[in-house]
Structures are given as structure tokens and as C-alpha cells.
Amino acid sequence: MVDSSNGTLRVAVAGASGYAGGEVLRLLLEHPEYRRGRLEIGALTAGSNAGAPLGSLQPHLHPLAGRVLTATTVDELAGHDVVFLGLPHGQSAALANTLPESTVIIDCGADFRLHDAAAWQRWYGGEHAGTWPYGLPELGDNREQLRGARRIAVPGCYPTVASLALAPAFAAGLAEPNATVVAVSGTSGAGRKLDVGLLGSEVMGSARAYGIAGAHRHTPEIAQNLSAAAGTPVAVSFTPVLAPMPRGILATCTAPTTADLAEVRATYEKAYAAEPFVHLLPEGALPSTGAVLGSNAVTLQVAVDTDAGLLVVVGAIDNLTKGTAGAAVQSMNLAVGFDETAGLPTVGVAP
Amino acid sequence: MVDSSNGTLRVAVAGASGYAGGEVLRLLLEHPEYRRGRLEIGALTAGSNAGAPLGSLQPHLHPLAGRVLTATTVDELAGHDVVFLGLPHGQSAALANTLPESTVIIDCGADFRLHDAAAWQRWYGGEHAGTWPYGLPELGDNREQLRGARRIAVPGCYPTVASLALAPAFAAGLAEPNATVVAVSGTSGAGRKLDVGLLGSEVMGSARAYGIAGAHRHTPEIAQNLSAAAGTPVAVSFTPVLAPMPRGILATCTAPTTADLAEVRATYEKAYAAEPFVHLLPEGALPSTGAVLGSNAVTLQVAVDTDAGLLVVVGAIDNLTKGTAGAAVQSMNLAVGFDETAGLPTVGVAP
Amino acid sequence: MVDSSNGTLRVAVAGASGYAGGEVLRLLLEHPEYRRGRLEIGALTAGSNAGAPLGSLQPHLHPLAGRVLTATTVDELAGHDVVFLGLPHGQSAALANTLPESTVIIDCGADFRLHDAAAWQRWYGGEHAGTWPYGLPELGDNREQLRGARRIAVPGCYPTVASLALAPAFAAGLAEPNATVVAVSGTSGAGRKLDVGLLGSEVMGSARAYGIAGAHRHTPEIAQNLSAAAGTPVAVSFTPVLAPMPRGILATCTAPTTADLAEVRATYEKAYAAEPFVHLLPEGALPSTGAVLGSNAVTLQVAVDTDAGLLVVVGAIDNLTKGTAGAAVQSMNLAVGFDETAGLPTVGVAP
Amino acid sequence: MVDSSNGTLRVAVAGASGYAGGEVLRLLLEHPEYRRGRLEIGALTAGSNAGAPLGSLQPHLHPLAGRVLTATTVDELAGHDVVFLGLPHGQSAALANTLPESTVIIDCGADFRLHDAAAWQRWYGGEHAGTWPYGLPELGDNREQLRGARRIAVPGCYPTVASLALAPAFAAGLAEPNATVVAVSGTSGAGRKLDVGLLGSEVMGSARAYGIAGAHRHTPEIAQNLSAAAGTPVAVSFTPVLAPMPRGILATCTAPTTADLAEVRATYEKAYAAEPFVHLLPEGALPSTGAVLGSNAVTLQVAVDTDAGLLVVVGAIDNLTKGTAGAAVQSMNLAVGFDETAGLPTVGVAP
């Protein structure tokens, strides 16, 4: 448990006017520790939106409507036990380095996700800031590293679902190290960015690819996770597709296999049997993003295409919840000693 | 508090494969009393879907995925402290009459909403079953009637928002008894009905009116509520419009007025100052259904169109939450002695 | 017929990167006179997008993908027989005044729609530029004024449907001069504007009101049209609602009446019997925007709410086609002597 | 040219109440030969909808609103020069065999697409009815076979885009015979079927996979086309994903390659240089379904993922237009001697 002076955890959110920050706040406001007064929402900071009331930017966060956003500075963020960062990439390191080591810093951005400095430079440019414990408790020994951690890198949304979809197969040696991921995403994954291509008039009724042939920055993060699971480098082809919905990722992930379906199912059942948020669906059922909307749930289905010699795993998450803020709160829970599942909806908002 | 044998409230849901039943279950699964073991989910019944696992019909309700739906019979529903009914209208009375008087029965259907038997016959046909305490605690003395109640009629979704939007003005004598309501609704308001006009291909990208010129059955319920507030009969013109979204109602409600805006605002501020779920937005802000999605919140904005001599009140709710299942759970909380707000999200799932 | 030097009509579009300009071009590219070489698409101009290839901004206009946008200047627009203007309001007059009188100028903006200079100043600010023949051939003597016209003001999208919905009743003295219009619109009505509230993530799954209580600038234009039909001032209350769809307006229009339905239907049948684009639906059918998508069609249904003493008329149009660019092309056809319906789809793109 | 008695082509549509039939009619109503009276719309037949006016089922087809659907029988369809069939699979052969050989029969269903009777039996069950000229003029020698043809099998929607996306690479020997296709589709692809999973409430805001691991019947058709192009059997893994939009397919197609991008682009540019409907987009641009909505256009972009050693081709079509009814009309044009592009929009309805 974080040692806060008065037994109440004080939490700040930097980037509170963005989608990641807003979703962190949504979850915190319904968190049982907040409701019982043991978690307090402190500074809410923003970039160009500083000075505005939160209610004008995040009208769904009624209980905080009157709170005024302040500037994202070290001074504003100091004096908190936990600081969530929802900032453009490249901005987290400077802040993190000047906050006390005892502060739990949970970065929803990309700065501290990659191990490989060269990969960082190739995909993001600029100097690599370092690597922090990775907020995906379901993979490898991440859960152990997150308990009591003071610095946490929240995974990217696509890597979350793609990694959970394929890691068990690679870890069990059931697939060749060659993954193809085509993932359909809701538009909130692009952030609250003023871009003509993200206007409602443009996205509604239309699907489009973007960042094809390895152009998307989540490619090396997926490869890092799958290679760690496989114990050998896994080549990843990743194509993101924008679909006309605000939230959700539906990923179709394939890799060559000679395994049969029974073996694959047994492997996945075992891998996720104890996981509270990952659900291998019954045979015949298929994941939909609607069924996990607003929740921290991950749904998976596995299949083997024997004609094509491919393992096919389809996975669904809410990109803002399990894909970002849910993972952030789940990581906070582990870091400060709360119940891992506290404040994280397991039930989607459907229909 | 309901006197259950072992201190645990046993709850059944009839119509668990429908949208109302599913939303009741979503809320119950996240209800703090469920999480602490003092509320138990018992029988889940259905009509033609009896025999199917809940997971095949409500895949978002992961924790209950394996539960099998049973037939909606008195035997199945007996032995519960609370029974939610999400049935086609006309079916509630027979069940209710054979369950013990001590059972809390919460009817999400229309059977027991209207006082006027003649109105019932005109709009629904068949014999009027009676009138139960009305599950809209924010209006009149409903809250007092709901405390400890054993029979509760959950309001219709449109009447919920239209009544909350206009009742304060009528109660304060600020408007002439002539209301026009045009309300845009998501498609789940029509229920999980196999109807060509409700297919995704037909509704996406399209708005359409239905039930115009007093054809919609919610008209007399709105009139009943507004007339009670006004203390005089209020004529109501109601037009529902179907919009391409799964959830939400955005109602534009007008009535002739000579009052000025300051007087109107003061009246509404006072009317809802103590209400946990009703929010009069700051001047300049306007309700959106997105900001209340999945929550029990109601947002309102008031304006006076001085050229036209009209009070204009716009209100937003989630038709499945505050408009149906949220009101049902809020009513249950009052009936059994839980905290009124327990298990009811105040924060919308946005974006 | 416009007297062009070589028998080919040369057409320019100013504001070709916007939604209005894009829709004008979509219609021109499928126009039979374009296909047979008697209409030529000349200058395509833009503001900040000048210099970009059209294909990067309007990727649906394949045949013009390689055309480069030039700046919106008098020089660029000179030498054309027809100039469509899709510009922010206030910018049309200066251009129009320097182009030859013989040029057919068709303004999709608001500058020349209102007769009343005081109303212009109140709603738009700045000096009133004047009044041009009004591009709604179905009302009054507009069609006659449009034949051979050299200056044309295209109606606003909301006024188009609201006026067609109520004018026959007012013209026949069937309704009291008090109109309430609540109109649900797709997001393209707001133009291609970089505004957080218009991002896909914000609009999808959400309906919201804007510009309530007479705040929307289309209010005086609706009042002008209805007052002309009634021969007496009509008070108009107008509430626009944004719905999650790219196109379409569904307007619910009411006014007090003592007429009966038969009289109303007869009046509307007669009013639109000869109109190629206005369809009074059979009894029982109701307009949907999906059924008129991409077309120049207007669908109407009339009803009388006898309890409330109201005439209720529901109308649907595509805001970009009949609501803007379709009316512009229809007006061009009349102005230059083409068949009035040429190049205007009568069939919606559904589902 | 079909030899019709009076110079007017008489066309019937069987299945006129479905989406394929409705789209055929939409295109015919705007077809220049219809407008000039050389194409006449005769019998409109349906199954369970026989007896209903077309306007009650296809309200967008205003000019035919009063036409009454008749039963789909040989008698009804006799006496037409062209018969479009939009029927459930398995029903076309019986009808086709009893109509005169001189009738142009254009089957939008699957019955006559596959060459391999064993594949037909495996994927569809029942006896294989035969193989007809394949309505995809852009591939192989199909165009020649379609000129003057009297029996035509319209391709499936997914095979249309997947085949156009990958055939040039296979034909040029640029890719190994191992294709992975993940295609996002609008809901109209599933037809006008009363299925809970296709209700608007279920599909809006949600993406879901269906028919994974080779379960979808379009798999063998894709393989047939690509194998023909490659001259060797191509293994195909196909995953369809349902997205919340009424129309459109966005397909991401990959195959192993060692070619470089310049070679690939040159191959595709050459392959489609003369095609009126297939557009290889400029480098940097990516296909979207919105830009081809309602049109017969196909947009493609090619890329090489050098890390993964994969050719990535993304393609977009409107599943109802180029994917079904557009191909049907394009085939009719070739069969009867009209201009191939007549009546086929080249411009999408956007935004």
C-alpha cells in the first residue's frame, strides 16, 4: 500500500481533457475506494485546455463538472500519491524525472513501453526515455513487477489485444513466428485530435485503413510482446482499420500452425483460467466489441483454418478501458495494494 | 429493509433475454450489495428463449454467461425477495397476482402506470390491471410512496425525460397547459424485436418518425405526469423519432410561457437541487445523450424563446438506464432500504 | 439558355473542398449534359486548401482527382457561364459584384436569402448584401423567377424542409400562424469544420440539441417563407438536433389547427401533385432520411393530432442534396434552360 | 444487342424486396436507357412479400412506389428480355432452366459461380447447378465471355474486392500462393434477414467477426479467382468482420512477397490502366468505403511490408453496388450491347 500521510490516496490526472484522461476519471469516480473516501481526485491538468472547467470538455463526468483544469506542470502534479499521464508521446520523461521516486506514475503514453532504443528511434524519433514495468498483468511476469511498482507504462491499445490473442500460442510453441494482425478500431483510439479525417461526417458510414505495411507505431510493441512469449523474434504484419464506432477494437490475428484445435483451446483455457478479465468464449461464439464496451473485459475465440494452415484468434476489447484507462487503473490497483479488479467493470454496456 | 431469511436479498429477473432485463442484470452485477454478497441473482426467465444459456443472448454479462434461462412461470419466480418484470405489456398482472404480497415486484412494462382505466383501454386495449406506485422518485411524492413499496410501476422511457423536463414549470405555473414533445430515441427503445425496420442496415444513417400525432402509447403517461404537476389537464403532442444510435433519448419539450429565463432557471435549480441524478446544466451547455450513456443521469437545459413565446426544455437520458432499468434499480433500492443511489452509475460512458 | 460561345456551359465551383462544393461536383459529374459534353467543369477554387489536388480532399470525386484547387479570386472565377459559391457567409457579395451580370451566380450561402435587412443584421451581423431569387422552385412564384435568373440564393437546408412541410397549410389558411419545428440533422449540415463537437468520437452514438430557443440563423428564413405563404407573420420556434448520421434532415413541424385530416391531405396532394421531387407519402407511411439519401427527393407525411389541436407534418430531405447542392443544380437547370430535373437523382441510396 | 420485339428491353427483377433487388432497381431507374425509354421495368417479384406495394418495402424507389410485387414464378418472369435474380442460393437453377435460352439471366446469388462441384457441395450442400460466365469483367477473359452472354453469375461481394486486390500480383508471379484476407463489411451484406444479431441495437457501436477460419462460403470463390490468376492453387484464409455501417467492404489482403514496391505499383497500374471503375490510388492515399458509397468504383492501394515480407493490398467497394447490383448491371450492359459503364455511378456519395 502506498504510504499516504492520512490514509487517503491522492490522485492527479495530467491530460484530463483527453480521452485517456477522461476514461481514467470515469473509472476513478466509480471506484469503490473513491466512494468510501480512501481515494481522492486531486489535480486535473491539461495543455491548451487549462483554465476551462472540466464540465465543458468532459460533460459526462458530472461530479467533477465544476473543477477547473490547471496547466500540466510539475508543481501542479506534486503532492500526489498517484499521477496518471495522458500526454502526447515524448512529454512524460521530463515530468516523471522531477516527481519524487515514491510517486506512482502511470503513463498512458508510449514513452516507456519499448525495450529497444533503436526501435524507439525508428518508430517515434528522438531519444529513448527508458523502459518501465508494463501494465499488462496477464502476460509473463508483469503482474509481479506491477505490485508495488512506482513507474508503470500502460500498453498500447492494439498491442493489448493482439498480444493477449497470440501470446499463449507462441509461448506454447504452437505457431510459427510470423504473425498477421488486422485490427478494426473505433475512432477514439486516435485521440481527441482536430483532424478532418476524424470528423463525424467523414467516419460515419465508412471504414478505412491507415498506417498499412508496418507504418503504425504499435507494430514494434506487438512484436516485442510476442517475441517475449515465443522466446524468439516474431515478425509482425499489422494493419489498423478505422471503423465507424467511438470505441472498441476487434483484432483478427493469424499465424501459421500445424496444431489442432483441441490443443489450441486447451492451451488458451489454461493460460487464462485464472484471469478475471480475459474470457475464452465457448466454441461457436465470436467476440464483439459491443459486448465489452466500457468494461475491462477481453474476449477471445480461437480457431484453426486447416486449409490454410493458420491459427486464427479473434479478440475484442474496449480500446479506452482495457486498452488504456482500465489497464492503468488495474495497474494502479496492483501498485498501491488495492484489489486488482476494484473499480473495473467486468460487464459491457450493451446493446 | 426486505426481511429475507438469511440477510441476502434474492432477486429474479423475468424477461432476462430482453434489453430491459439485460440492463437490470448489468446494474445488479455491478451493485455494491451484490459485490458484498448481500444481493443474490436467482431465477432468470424468458419466453421463447427459455432453455438457452444467458451468454448466447446477452454476451456482455460475462459473469452469468453459463446460467440457463428458464420459463417465465410463477413457480420459477416464487421464493425471491425481488422480482423484476421485463415482459410484453398485458402479462404482468397475472404473474403479480399469484406471487406473495411481500415480494417486491418491479414492473418495467406499462401495465400499472396509468391511473385512468379509460385511457388504458384506449391506448393499450384490454382491461386495466390497476395502478402501482410510480418509479420516478424525482416527481411529486413518488419517493415516499416507493420506500418500502411491494409493487412498483417503472415509468416509460419517454415519459421519464419529458416529465422531468416540464413538470417544474407546470408545477410553478410558469407555462400554459399545452406541451409539445419531440423526442429522438435510440433503437433499443423498441426492444429486441425482429422487425425489418429495426435492422441495422435500415436504421444506420437514417432518422425517421413513428407514431406521430398522438399514436404513441407514452402520450397519456406524459399527460398524466404533467397534469399532476400542473394541477390541471395538460394537452400533450408527442412525436417520437428514431435515430441511428443504440441508446439514448434527447427530448425537446416546449410550452407557451410569458416567464423570463431567470425565473425559469431559478425554478428548475430549486426543483432539482437535492436530486442526485438530475443535472440542470450551466447556461450555454446543452444535453447530449452521449454524456449520459449507460448512466442514471438526467441532464436538462432550459431556455425561453421570446419571439415565439415558448419555454424550451431539452433533456437527455439513457432510455435503458434512467429510462428503464436504472429507474427499476433505484426503485428497488428505495423499496428494500438500500441507499437510493447504490449501483447506479452517475457518470456516462463517453466518448 | 445561357449563351456560351461554343455551346458548352462552363461551370466553376468556389469552395470546392467543402461539403456543399463537393456535392455540387458529385451532381455535375453525373449530369447528363456533362456526360454529353455540353457542360464543362472549369475552375475549382478553395480558401486554405488552394494548391491541393481535389483527390486528397474529396476522394469520392474520382474523375476530378488530379485537378488542383486554385484560390477563390475573381480572376479564377471569371470566364465561366455558371459559378457556384460554397463560401462562409459574408463573402459572396464582393465576388458577385465583380463578376459580369451575365454570369449565373448560384450562392449556396446565406448572404442573399433574407428580404429584411434588420433580420439579417440581427442574425448574421454586418451589412445586408441584398436579396436574390430564391432557389426553392416548389414555393410561390419562385420557379418563374428562377427561369433565366442570373443571381440565385440557394435556401438553407432546414428552411427547405420546414417550408415545404408547412407552407401549403398556411397558404390554405388551415393553421394558426404559430409554427414549432424540431429538426434532426446529420452532421454534414455543420460543414467541414474542425470542431471538437463534430469529431466522430463525439457524435457517434449521441444526439444533442444546439442553437435552441431561436438561436439558429435559419429561424428568420423559415419565418420569411411561412409568412409569405400565410400572407401574415408566422411566429417560428425552431430547435435543431444533431444526430449520429452524416446526412439527412428529419423535421417535425407543428402548428395549431382545427382542420380535419381529409382537408389537410387534399390540400397537400394538390399543392405537390405536379412537383417532380416532393412526395406526399401514402397514409400510414412515414418519412425517413435513409430513403432520400443522396437524392433530391422530399418526402412528407401529414397528420392531425386532434387531442392537442395540432397539425403535425413530418418531412425528410438530404441536407446536402435537396437541402443544398441539389437545389443549386435544380436552380441552374432552370436558369440556363436545361430540363429542371436533369442530373438530380430521384431515388435514394438505401439501405 | 438483345433482339427485343419493339426495341425496348424489358427487364424483370426477382427478389425485388431484398437489398440486391432494390439496388438493381435503383441503378435501373437512373440508367440512361431507362430515362430514354429503351429499357422498361417489368415484373417485380418476391417470396413472402408478394402482394405488397414496392413502396412499403423499398421506400427509396419513389418512381415505383405503387408497383405491386408478384410471386416469383416462371410465368411472372416469362416474356422479359433480361431477368435479374436476387434469390436465396439454390433457387436459381429451377427458374433458369425453364426460361428461354434467349433470356439474359443474371443471377446475383451463388449457384453458378463455382467451377468445382465438390467445392460447391462442401460449402453450400446439395447438387451443383453448373457454372456460368462470371460477372467480373476486370479479371481474365471475363469481359469477352460476358459480351452477348445469356447466363451470368454475379460474383460475391467479398470475392469481388479480394480478387481485384490480389489477382494482378499473382498473375505477375509477385506473391507466393498464400493469401490472407480480412474484410470489414457493412451489414447489408447479410441481406434483409430477420436475425437478432443484425438488429440496429446490436450492430451499432460494435464490430464482430463471423465465419472465421474458412467458415465463410466466399472462401472457395476467392481461391478460385486467385488460383486462376496465379495459374496454381492459392491457399486462402478469409475472415469477414461486420462493422457498424450499412454498406461497404474494406478488405486487407496480404501474401508473402519478395518484390519491391515499385515493381508492385507498376504491375497494378498496368493491370487497371484501362479499367473505368478500378482506381489505384496515389501513393499515400488509402481506400475508404465512404468514398465509393453507392458507386461502382473500386479503390486500391498497394504496399510492401518489408519487415514481414508481405504484400499488403487494401481495397474498398460498395458491397451492394460493385459488389452485387453494379456488377449485375455492368454485366447486363455487356450482354445486351449497351455501353459497359451506362447507369453506373463512378462517384461515391460522400460524406
Side-chain angles (χ1 to χ4, degrees), chain A residues 9-14 16 20-44 61 63-64 67 80 82-85 106 321 325-326 328-333 336 338 342-345, chain B residues 346-347:
Chain A
L9 202 72
R10 203 168 152 73
V11 178
V13 176
E23 184 76 349
V24 166
L25 287 168
R26 179 177 79 87
L27 296 174
L28 293 180
L29 284 167
E30 309 275 6
H31 200 290
E33 304 292 346
Y34 174 78
R35 299 212 155 194
R36 73 177 61 133
R38 287 170 50 191
L39 185 157
E40 193 178 291
I41 298 176
L44 304 180
L61 303 173
L64 302 173
R67 295 280 295 272
H80 294 83
V82 178
V83 176
F84 289 93
L85 302 179
I106 301 174
T321 320
V329 170
Q330 189 178 354
S331 297
M332 176 194 79
N333 288 341
V336 306
F338 291 158
L344 294 166
Chain B
T346 55
V347 180

Side-chain angles (χ1 to χ4, degrees), chain A residues 18-275:
Chain A
Y19 291 150
E23 184 76 349
V24 166
L25 287 168
R26 179 177 79 87
L27 296 174
L28 293 180
L29 284 167
E30 309 275 6
H31 200 290
E33 304 292 346
Y34 174 78
R35 299 212 155 194
R36 73 177 61 133
R38 287 170 50 191
L39 185 157
E40 193 178 291
I41 298 176
L44 304 180
T45 79
S48 57
N49 289 315
L54 186 68
S56 68
L57 293 153
Q58 308 273 26
H60 60 301
L61 303 173
H62 304 293
L64 302 173
R67 295 280 295 272
V68 173
L69 293 165
T70 55
T72 301
T73 63
V74 172
D75 282 358
E76 283 296 328
L77 299 175
H80 294 83
D81 303 301
V82 178
V83 176
F84 289 93
L85 302 179
L87 304 173
H89 76 82
Q91 300 189 1
S92 299
L95 279 173
N97 291 340
T98 50
L99 288 169
E101 280 187 24
S102 60
T103 308
V104 179
I105 304 183
I106 301 174
D107 187 10
C108 297
D111 292 18
F112 297 96
R113 290 175 192 158
L114 296 186
H115 290 275
D116 180 351
W120 174 267
Q121 289 212 319
R122 174 179 165 200
W123 296 89
Y124 291 90
E127 201 181 346
H128 185 223
T131 313
W132 286 355
Y134 190 68
L136 191 56
E138 294 84 356
L139 275 202
D141 65 348
N142 289 334
R143 183 169 279 122
E144 286 63 48
Q145 293 192 27
L146 293 166
R147 289 191 206 285
R150 290 299 171 264
R151 295 292 185 274
I152 294 166
V154 176
C157 52
Y158 290 117
T160 295
V161 62
S163 303
L164 293 172
L166 286 178
F170 285 121
L174 296 180
E176 289 172 44
N178 232 310
T180 300
V181 175
V182 179
V184 176
S185 175
T187 53
S188 62
R192 207 171 197 172
K193 202 164 48 189
L194 283 178
D195 181 304
V196 167
L198 295 174
L199 287 177
S201 299
E202 314 272 327
V203 298
M204 288 186 287
S206 184
R208 67 175 166 94
Y210 69 104
I212 66 170
H216 196 287
R217 287 160 165 171
H218 283 178
T219 309
E221 190 182 342
I222 300 172
Q224 173 175 292
N225 291 345
L226 296 183
S227 299
T232 186
V234 175
V236 171
S237 159
F238 170 49
T239 306
V241 173
L242 206 65
M245 54 191 194
R247 291 171 172 239
I249 297 179
L250 194 288
T252 300
C253 310
T254 62
T257 192
T258 54
D260 65 14
L261 181 57
E263 195 177 359
V264 170
R265 270 200 84 83
T267 301
Y268 277 74
E269 275 167 4
K270 193 172 156 201
Y272 295 126
E275 287 299 338

Side-chain angles (χ1 to χ4, degrees), chain C residues 6-333:
Chain C
N6 59 354
T8 294
L9 202 72
R10 203 168 152 73
V11 179
V13 177
S17 61
Y19 291 150
E23 183 77 348
V24 167
L25 288 168
R26 177 176 80 86
L27 297 175
L28 293 180
L29 284 166
E30 311 274 5
H31 199 289
E33 303 293 346
Y34 174 78
R35 299 212 155 195
R36 74 176 61 132
R38 288 172 48 193
L39 185 155
E40 192 178 293
I41 298 176
L44 304 180
T45 78
S48 57
N49 289 315
L54 187 68
S56 68
L57 293 153
Q58 308 273 28
H60 60 302
L61 302 173
H62 304 294
L64 302 172
R67 296 280 294 271
V68 173
L69 294 165
T70 55
T72 302
T73 63
V74 173
D75 282 356
E76 285 294 328
L77 299 175
H80 293 84
D81 303 300
V82 179
V83 175
F84 290 94
L85 303 178
L87 305 173
H89 75 84
Q91 301 189 1
S92 299
L95 279 172
N97 292 339
T98 50
L99 287 169
E101 280 187 24
S102 60
T103 308
V104 179
I105 305 183
I106 301 175
D107 187 10
C108 297
D111 292 18
F112 298 95
R113 291 176 193 158
L114 296 186
H115 291 274
D116 181 352
W120 174 269
Q121 289 211 319
R122 174 179 166 199
W123 297 90
Y124 291 90
E127 204 180 344
H128 185 221
T131 312
W132 287 354
Y134 191 67
L136 191 57
E138 294 85 356
L139 276 201
D141 65 347
N142 290 333
R143 182 169 279 121
E144 286 62 49
Q145 293 193 26
L146 293 166
R147 288 193 207 283
R150 290 298 171 264
R151 296 291 185 272
I152 294 166
V154 176
C157 51
Y158 290 116
T160 295
V161 61
S163 304
L164 292 173
L166 286 178
F170 284 122
L174 295 180
E176 289 172 44
N178 231 310
T180 300
V181 176
V182 179
V184 177
S185 173
T187 53
S188 62
R192 208 170 195 174
K193 201 164 50 189
L194 283 178
D195 179 306
V196 167
L198 295 174
L199 287 176
S201 300
E202 314 273 326
V203 298
M204 288 186 287
S206 185
R208 67 175 167 93
Y210 68 103
I212 65 171
H216 195 286
R217 287 162 165 169
H218 283 178
T219 309
E221 189 181 344
I222 300 171
Q224 172 175 293
N225 292 345
L226 297 182
S227 300
T232 186
V234 175
V236 172
S237 160
F238 170 49
T239 306
V241 173
L242 205 65
M245 54 192 196
R247 289 171 173 239
I249 296 182
L250 193 287
T252 301
C253 310
T254 63
T257 193
T258 55
D260 65 14
L261 181 57
E263 196 177 359
V264 170
R265 270 200 84 83
T267 301
Y268 278 73
E269 274 166 5
K270 192 174 157 201
Y272 295 127
E275 287 299 338
F277 295 117
V278 185
H279 306 284
L280 180 64
L281 296 182
E283 291 189 58
L286 281 166
S288 75
T289 66
V292 298
L293 186 89
S295 87
N296 211 47
V298 182
T299 54
L300 297 175
Q301 183 54 288
V302 295
V304 174
D305 185 335
T306 47
D307 287 2
L310 282 180
L311 168 70
V312 181
V313 187
V314 177
I317 60 166
D318 184 318
N319 60 301
L320 287 183
T321 321
K322 180 58 178 168
T324 306
V329 170
Q330 189 178 355
S331 298
M332 175 194 79
N333 289 342

Side-chain angles (χ1 to χ4, degrees), chain D residues 227-254:
Chain D
S227 299
T232 185
V234 175
V236 171
S237 159
F238 170 48
T239 306
V241 173
L242 205 65
M245 54 192 195
R247 289 171 173 241
I249 296 180
L250 193 287
T252 301
C253 311
T254 62

Side-chain angles (χ1 to χ4, degrees), chain D residues 257-292:
Chain D
T257 193
T258 54
D260 66 14
L261 181 57
E263 195 177 359
V264 170
R265 269 200 84 83
T267 301
Y268 277 73
E269 275 166 5
K270 193 174 155 202
Y272 295 126
E275 287 299 336
F277 295 117
V278 185
H279 307 284
L280 179 66
L281 296 182
E283 291 189 56
L286 281 165
S288 76
T289 65
V292 297

Side-chain angles (χ1 to χ4, degrees), chain B residues 118-327:
Chain B
W120 174 267
Q121 288 211 318
R122 174 178 166 200
W123 297 89
Y124 291 90
E127 203 182 344
H128 185 223
T131 313
W132 287 354
Y134 191 67
L136 192 56
E138 294 85 355
L139 276 202
D141 64 349
N142 289 334
R143 182 169 279 121
E144 286 62 48
Q145 293 192 27
L146 293 167
R147 287 192 209 285
R150 291 298 172 264
R151 295 291 185 274
I152 295 166
V154 176
C157 51
Y158 290 116
T160 295
V161 62
S163 304
L164 293 172
L166 286 179
F170 284 121
L174 295 180
E176 288 172 44
N178 231 310
T180 299
V181 175
V182 179
V184 177
S185 174
T187 52
S188 62
R192 207 171 197 172
K193 202 165 47 192
L194 283 179
D195 180 306
V196 167
L198 296 175
L199 288 177
S201 300
E202 314 272 327
V203 299
M204 289 187 287
S206 184
R208 66 176 166 95
Y210 67 104
I212 66 171
H216 196 286
R217 287 163 166 168
H218 284 178
T219 309
E221 190 181 344
I222 300 172
Q224 172 175 292
N225 292 344
L226 296 183
S227 300
T232 187
V234 174
V236 171
S237 159
F238 169 49
T239 306
V241 174
L242 205 66
M245 54 192 195
R247 290 172 173 239
I249 296 179
L250 194 287
T252 301
C253 310
T254 63
T257 192
T258 55
D260 67 13
L261 181 57
E263 196 177 358
V264 170
R265 269 199 84 83
T267 300
Y268 277 73
E269 275 167 4
K270 194 173 155 202
Y272 294 126
E275 287 299 337
F277 295 117
V278 185
H279 307 284
L280 179 65
L281 296 182
E283 291 189 56
L286 280 167
S288 75
T289 66
V292 298
L293 185 90
S295 87
N296 211 47
V298 182
T299 54
L300 298 175
Q301 183 55 286
V302 295
V304 174
D305 184 334
T306 47
D307 287 3
L310 282 181
L311 168 70
V312 181
V313 187
V314 177
I317 60 166
D318 184 318
N319 60 302
L320 287 183
T321 321
K322 180 59 177 166
T324 307

